[in-house]
Amino acid sequence: MTGIPLTLLLLCTAGLQALSITYTPKEICVLKGSKVRLQCTYTLPAGYRFKAGHWYKSDSLIPSRDSNGNIQHNTASPQCLLWIHNLTPSDSGSYEYKVKIQHTTITGPGRAAVRVVATAQKGCWGVSYSSTSFCALRGSTLDIPCTYGYPRDHTVIKTFWHKEGEKGKDRIDLRLDARYRGRVEHLGTENNCTLRIRDVRQTDSGQYTFRYATDKPGGAFSGVPVTIAVTGLQVSMTADTVTEGGSVTLSCNTNCNLRGNTTFIWFKNTQPTRHTAINNTLHLNPVSSEDTGNYSCALNRHKEHPSPGATLDVRYAPRKTTALVAPPGEIVGNNSMTLICSSDANPPVHNYTWYMKRGTQISPLGAGQSFIAANINNDTSGLYYCVARNSVGEQNSTGVSVLIVGQSSAKNAAIGVLVVVVAVLLILVLLWLRKRKSRPPSKKGSTSTPQQADSDLVYDDVSAVAVTSDPAWRRNTEADDDVQYSIIQFKGSKEAEVAPYASIQSPRAQTAQEDVQSPYASVQSPRAQTAQEDVQYAAVNFSRPKDTSQVEADQVIYSIVNKPPKTRMR
């Protein structure tokens, strides 16, 4: 015989009484992953003292604590209490408590039955989570899947989540907690107790428990605590300063292991980087100066929550080194000029050096980004260049040619320009005068314009006044109304042999209303005269008085005395 009947037989044979013991609960159905609390009360036989107590499962001794911490009970305490956490189906079975007295171990009738089920169902107590540990990204939304069960004859009247670890305070429903108000939500329906926390904050780290109560006495149950760790993203680098051409690896790190889709994306200066990431790392090889910038990372499903930035500094030797001379172009001797050197480098150029090259000879001039050369002369004409240096390397600029000219040469050049301007003005004046002289003379001889006064034509008028009032003379003059034309020959230059001519017209009879007018004899040259030739024109006027009384006052005869022609210069 084995088991309880044998124990009772031995106790009776020894004169000992059986242990009086009661288990609570006697039978329980619990969800996988939940915890169960088994408790008993007992009475020792008279005259015996408690020495130790042990829990057994199916007659197998249960250790006071296993390696995972899922079983807890105190063998040295007369209190009969057993905790089993994170239940699995293998925890199903019957449990009993035995007391050691003197040199004998006694037990009583009855045992506690435990059944562990994989899914929530009515008739079974317990809370089950998909996991008891969660890692949440700061600023993201976290869901904690949860199911629970209870006996069939019970009705649930209250469910809530609360945060553990605040001793001395009542369990507060997260929905009523000011720290979580508006950020938490129960997604559960019947047997579903999933919790959602939005905009996860660093202060949300901690342990959370789901608890529910039924309408029966003792009908309250709590699941095992769930741990939430809140993390941010942090960028780390194998080196934050690297020389161009080297390599560097960037990593996107968290304080805990994120679950689900953990595809990372990378940004440089808030823009997606041109490099491809592998898992949570970004490898740059070789590094170029374009890789300098501020890098951050984010989860692909949470792009709106990037990590703080980390700066990568790529150093490189001087480049695009350029030399300039001010003022540009030719520089007048005995003056000064300024040489300016510019370059792109990281770190910045710490040394600029100037050189002059003439032929194959190179002469150092001085140092500094700008260099002033004073009292320059022809010996300083040549090719100038600068050398830029930093801690990474150096680079020569392209040469700039400088031509030094003397002060007298510059003055002669200015005078030459002035002479050209004056010559152009003189040519314009001569052309204007030539055009003016080529105009034909005025047909009216009685009027002398200022232009005629300025010409080479010389007029000498000699007037013949009537010296008699004899009517016979008057008749003779009237009889001579017929005027004859004659050709008057003027000799000009030897080159002009064509004889000019003169036209002589007789005056017409004057009317009473007309004033005395003098007819003219006009002499014209057959061609325009050159500037060196002087052509004289003669005008001969004939006039007769209207009556005797007017003879004394009127000018009747005009004669022109010509000025001899000038000799043409050859």
Side-chain angles (χ1 to χ4, degrees):
M1 298 176 63
T2 59
I4 295 176
L6 179 59
T7 303
L8 292 176
L9 178 62
L10 293 174
L11 288 174
C12 293
T13 304
L16 295 177
Q17 296 179 358
L19 184 66
S20 175
I21 187 169
T22 302
Y23 295 96
T24 305
K26 292 182 179 180
E27 183 179 355
I28 185 171
C29 177
V30 187
L31 287 175
K32 175 185 176 182
S34 298
K35 65 181 180 179
V36 66
R37 180 175 180 267
L38 300 178
Q39 189 173 11
C40 68
T41 58
Y42 60 91
T43 303
L44 290 175
Y48 291 90
R49 292 184 307 167
F50 175 85
K51 295 185 67 174
H54 298 275
W55 280 91
Y56 290 80
K57 176 194 173 187
S58 303
D59 296 330
S60 297
L61 179 64
I62 298 174
S64 60
R65 185 179 298 273
D66 66 355
S67 59
N68 296 324
N70 292 331
I71 298 176
Q72 296 177 4
H73 71 92
N74 188 355
T75 59
S77 172
Q79 184 179 11
C80 179
L81 184 63
L82 174 65
W83 279 101
I84 306 176
H85 297 271
N86 196 21
L87 288 167
T88 64
S90 62
D91 293 323
S92 298
S94 60
Y95 292 80
E96 67 174 337
Y97 185 73
K98 296 180 180 182
V99 178
K100 184 177 181 181
I101 55 174
Q102 303 296 341
H103 302 289
T104 304
T105 299
I106 61 175
T107 187
R111 294 186 180 185
V114 175
R115 182 165 64 95
V116 179
V117 296
T119 58
Q121 53 186 271
K122 285 188 175 182
C124 292
W125 290 102
V127 178
S128 178
Y129 309 104
S130 62
S131 174
T132 57
S133 179
F134 292 88
C135 179
L137 181 65
R138 186 169 50 245
S140 66
T141 297
L142 173 65
D143 287 345
I144 303 176
C146 167
T147 56
Y148 69 100
Y150 50 90
R152 296 179 183 274
D153 57 343
H154 289 238
T155 300
V156 175
I157 58 175
K158 185 178 183 180
T159 62
F160 65 95
W161 282 86
H162 66 90
K163 190 174 183 179
E164 298 282 357
E166 298 177 346
K167 295 181 179 180
K169 293 184 178 181
D170 295 335
R171 299 183 180 99
I172 301 176
D173 188 340
L174 292 180
R175 292 169 293 188
L176 304 178
D177 192 329
R179 298 169 299 176
Y180 297 89
R181 189 172 299 154
R183 295 195 298 122
V184 297
E185 179 183 2
H186 287 189
L187 303 180
T189 54
E190 186 177 6
N191 300 112
N192 191 330
C193 51
T194 299
L195 174 68
R196 172 171 290 174
I197 304 177
R198 297 185 181 90
D199 187 23
V200 175
R201 302 171 184 175
Q202 195 66 46
T203 55
D204 293 340
S205 297
Q207 289 187 321
Y208 295 80
T209 301
F210 175 73
R211 184 174 179 82
Y212 61 101
T214 67
D215 58 347
K216 302 293 183 180
F221 197 90
S222 295
V224 296
V226 174
T227 301
I228 298 177
V230 179
T231 182
L233 300 177
Q234 191 71 34
V235 176
S236 64
M237 303 180 183
T238 53
D240 57 5
T241 301
V242 62
T243 302
E244 188 172 33
S247 64
V248 63
T249 299
L250 292 75
S251 300
C252 191
N253 304 315
T254 61
N255 297 329
C256 54
N257 294 324
L258 294 169
R259 299 174 183 268
N261 182 8
T262 55
T263 302
F264 291 86
I265 55 176
W266 287 87
F267 302 92
K268 188 188 82 169
N269 299 331
T270 72
Q271 299 298 320
T273 181
R274 60 189 178 92
H275 300 284
T276 302
I278 300 176
N279 296 326
N280 68 324
T281 61
L282 183 67
H283 192 57
L284 307 181
N285 185 24
V287 175
S288 72
S289 59
E290 295 179 356
D291 294 325
T292 296
N294 188 271
Y295 287 82
S296 59
C297 62
L299 287 175
N300 194 39
R301 55 191 171 95
H302 293 295
K303 297 179 182 178
E304 68 279 10
H305 301 297
S307 71
T311 301
L312 176 64
D313 184 23
V314 180
R315 299 192 172 191
Y316 51 91
R319 59 190 181 186
K320 300 179 182 178
T321 304
T322 305
L324 299 175
V325 176
E330 294 181 348
I331 301 176
V332 178
N334 296 327
N335 287 330
S336 64
M337 66 177 179
T338 301
L339 304 173
I340 303 172
C341 189
S342 63
S343 183
D344 174 27
N346 185 30
V349 174
H350 66 264
N351 179 265
Y352 292 93
T353 307
W354 287 94
Y355 297 89
M356 183 188 75
K357 182 178 181 180
R358 297 189 69 178
T360 59
Q361 182 180 1
I362 299 177
S363 303
L365 298 178
Q369 187 171 9
S370 61
F371 178 78
I372 299 177
N375 299 322
I376 57 178
N377 51 50
N378 291 333
D379 293 336
T380 57
S381 294
L383 196 66
Y384 289 78
Y385 68 94
C386 62
V387 179
R389 297 180 179 88
N390 68 357
S391 59
V392 180
E394 64 180 46
Q395 185 187 44
N396 293 4
S397 72
T398 55
V400 57
S401 180
V402 175
L403 179 61
I404 311 298
V405 297
Q407 290 181 333
S408 58
S409 298
K411 184 182 295 184
N412 292 338
I415 294 174
V417 172
L418 182 60
V419 169
V420 171
V421 173
V422 172
V424 171
L425 291 176
L426 289 175
I427 292 173
L428 292 176
V429 171
L430 291 175
L431 290 176
W432 179 76
L433 292 174
R434 181 183 180 92
K435 181 177 181 181
R436 183 179 177 190
K437 289 182 179 181
S438 64
R439 294 176 182 175
S442 173
K443 292 182 180 181
K444 289 185 179 182
S446 62
T447 304
S448 178
T449 64
Q451 289 81 359
Q452 289 170 336
D454 295 335
S455 66
D456 292 330
L457 305 180
V458 179
Y459 297 86
D460 291 326
D461 297 340
V462 178
S463 300
V465 182
V467 295
T468 181
S469 58
D470 188 359
W473 180 86
R474 183 177 182 182
R475 286 191 301 268
N476 291 335
T477 59
E478 292 174 352
D480 295 333
D481 285 339
D482 294 332
V483 179
Q484 302 297 323
Y485 295 87
S486 65
I487 301 302
I488 299 174
Q489 180 78 33
F490 293 97
K491 289 185 178 182
S493 65
K494 294 180 180 182
E495 293 178 4
E497 298 298 337
V498 179
Y501 62 90
S503 301
I504 302 175
Q505 294 179 337
S506 66
R508 59 184 175 84
Q510 305 295 323
T511 63
Q513 292 80 11
E514 293 175 340
D515 294 333
V516 177
Q517 301 291 337
S518 297
Y520 297 87
S522 58
V523 180
Q524 295 181 342
S525 175
R527 61 181 181 84
Q529 303 300 320
T530 64
Q532 292 77 15
E533 294 174 344
D534 292 330
V535 180
Q536 286 75 35
Y537 296 87
V540 181
N541 298 334
F542 294 92
S543 175
R544 56 184 173 86
K546 295 179 181 179
D547 54 38
T548 306
S549 62
Q550 295 176 340
V551 171
E552 298 292 332
D554 292 337
Q555 296 177 356
V556 296
I557 300 174
Y558 295 88
S559 176
I560 309 306
V561 178
N562 296 326
K563 184 178 180 180
K566 297 178 182 179
T567 303
R568 182 177 181 181
M569 297 178 64
R570 296 196 177 268

